[in-house]
Amino acid sequence: MPEPIVFYDIPGKTDALKAWSPNTWKTRYSLNYKGLPYKTVWVEYPDIEAVLRKLGAPATEQKPDGSPYYTLPAIYDPNTKTAVVDSFEIARYLDKTYPDTPRLIPAGTDALHVAFIHAWRGLLMNDLGPLVIPAVANSLRSRSEVYFRATREVMFGGDLEKLAPAGSAKRVEHWKGIKNGLDTLAQWIEADGTGKRFFNGDQPAWADIAFAGYLIWLRVVLGVDSQEWKDLASWDGGRWGKYLEALAKYESVDEGDEAVL
């Protein structure tokens, strides 16, 4: 049995909100699906760069000024003494390093998975952001919330609560956009006429796990009992609620430890 992989995630402020990020959920799903032992280290937003620099992990992007931009998820594998960032690169690493576990990206389909993910993000993200980003801010611990609001208000050009307030026409239009996008996604998944549940058929692959990360993001930050989540889960004969239910056995969240700088 390999030593536990160290998985770096961003905590919410309560147990119900503890694992909330769509990007880190992609890696948590991946680790759970493969049945690999791991331990979560919870990192507040302002500490991500310091933690990853200490780990020797690379930046994932560049800021507009050209300086490195560090993001989660990240893992450190003590079995190979390797740090990996970016959920897709982590999935590829896990497939290569642990070939006896269920494969996330079937051989020869890397480009297809990337294209599919870019396509559905194009359908949904312009509407998802205004609906969910304010709820994310309210889900975070205080230090992370201050950082998140400051950076996202620059990104979105103003007060997050004004993006799509409850009961507003803007919010209604964004939800219509989400529903239309999900209807199109369902048509893509069922393009072969077999009524399959997942992109990969009866068993999930990386594209399914990546999409599920966004569904669980909505469920967690909007609230499983919220009317908005209930509506989404019921669309298309309950397809999207059932989609997550089919992956529920891969949702386990360990208690983990707080990051030490």
Side-chain angles (χ1 to χ4, degrees), residues 5 55 75-84 93 97:
I5 291 168
L55 188 64
I75 64 167
Y76 177 75
D77 187 347
N79 304 286
T80 62
K81 297 180 172 51
T82 302
V84 189
Y93 169 84
T97 308

Side-chain angles (χ1 to χ4, degrees), residues 23-92:
N23 291 318
T24 57
W25 260 109
K26 298 171 193 176
T27 296
R28 187 175 296 280
Y29 270 132
S30 297
L31 291 164
N32 289 334
Y33 181 64
K34 284 182 168 290
L36 291 168
Y38 69 92
K39 178 181 71 174
T40 303
V41 172
W42 301 102
V43 187
E44 297 276 359
Y45 262 109
D47 301 329
I48 290 173
E49 180 172 344
V51 167
L52 293 189
R53 282 185 178 274
K54 183 178 178 181
L55 188 64
T60 49
E61 302 173 35
Q62 282 190 337
K63 297 177 182 177
D65 63 5
S67 60
Y69 182 48
Y70 291 85
T71 64
L72 297 182
I75 64 167
Y76 177 75
D77 187 347
N79 304 286
T80 62
K81 297 180 172 51
T82 302
V84 189
V85 296
D86 182 83
S87 57
F88 184 65
E89 293 306 318
I90 291 170
R92 296 178 73 185

Side-chain angles (χ1 to χ4, degrees), residues 198-218:
F198 296 120
F199 171 76
N200 197 47
D202 292 332
Q203 295 298 319
W206 167 249
D208 302 295
I209 282 172
F211 177 63
Y214 285 86
L215 283 181
I216 202 166
W217 179 43
L218 284 161

Side-chain angles (χ1 to χ4, degrees), residues 170-183:
K170 287 194 293 186
R171 195 169 187 88
V172 171
E173 286 305 306
H174 283 306
W175 276 114
K176 286 180 181 178
I178 296 293
K179 188 173 188 309
N180 290 338
L182 290 177
D183 287 346

Side-chain angles (χ1 to χ4, degrees), residues 239-252:
R239 169 186 282 274
W240 307 115
K242 293 173 185 175
Y243 195 99
L244 275 192
E245 288 172 10
L247 296 171
K249 58 186 172 182
Y250 309 120
E251 288 182 10
S252 61

